[in-house]
Amino acid sequence: EMQLMESGGGSVQAGGSLRLSCTGSGIAFSDFDMAWYRQAPGNECEIVSIMYTDGSTYYIDSVKGRFTISEDNIKNTMYLQMDSLKPEDTSAYYCAALPGPSGRQCDPNWGQGTQVTVSS
């Protein structure tokens, strides 16, 4: 059965960096389009970045040039390197295979995710 676990979040000041990790069991990341999601209070669940099986990537405009998604297929781990963090990046972050939830909310079955808090 698919099991995913996010880690690496924390509290940093604006301009700082964090690297999020997503480890999986019961799923080979190389066989699925994998995504990082985030949802902050008052906001909808949004896709931050996608790693497609063909190696292409996607980023929302607000994080381009600052975030980098990558996969280590040997370790079956996905990463999100976040540099030059801004207060607007404050959110709970989740990893999941596509497709994502059909509604505006992240899937409650994803658990707590990992919290990123950026102070000004």
Side-chain angles (χ1 to χ4, degrees):
E1 184 177 346
M2 179 189 302
Q3 296 185 54
L4 300 174
M5 181 66 69
E6 303 92 348
S7 63
S11 298
V12 298
Q13 294 185 349
S17 297
L18 288 171
R19 188 178 74 162
L20 307 184
S21 298
C22 174
T23 58
S25 61
I27 176 176
F29 288 178
S30 60
D31 293 340
F32 296 88
D33 298 330
M34 299 293 297
W36 285 98
Y37 293 80
R38 69 184 181 187
Q39 184 168 29
N43 293 344
E44 66 181 11
C45 185
E46 65 180 353
I47 294 178
V48 178
S49 185
I50 302 172
M51 173 65 75
Y52 294 98
T53 56
D54 65 2
S56 61
T57 57
Y58 162 84
Y59 301 91
I60 54 173
D61 288 342
S62 61
V63 308
K64 288 181 178 177
R66 300 189 298 118
F67 290 10
T68 304
I69 190 171
S70 62
E71 285 184 355
D72 184 332
N73 291 326
I74 296 177
K75 295 183 178 180
N76 205 40
T77 301
M78 182 171 65
Y79 304 96
L80 185 67
Q81 178 67 43
M82 305 184 295
D83 298 319
S84 301
L85 283 163
K86 302 176 180 180
E88 305 94 276
D89 298 317
T90 296
S91 185
Y93 284 73
Y94 310 87
C95 63
L98 296 180
S102 59
R104 295 182 180 273
Q105 303 300 308
C106 288
D107 193 332
N109 292 324
W110 291 353
Q112 299 183 44
T114 186
Q115 179 67 39
V116 171
T117 302
V118 185
S119 62
S120 59

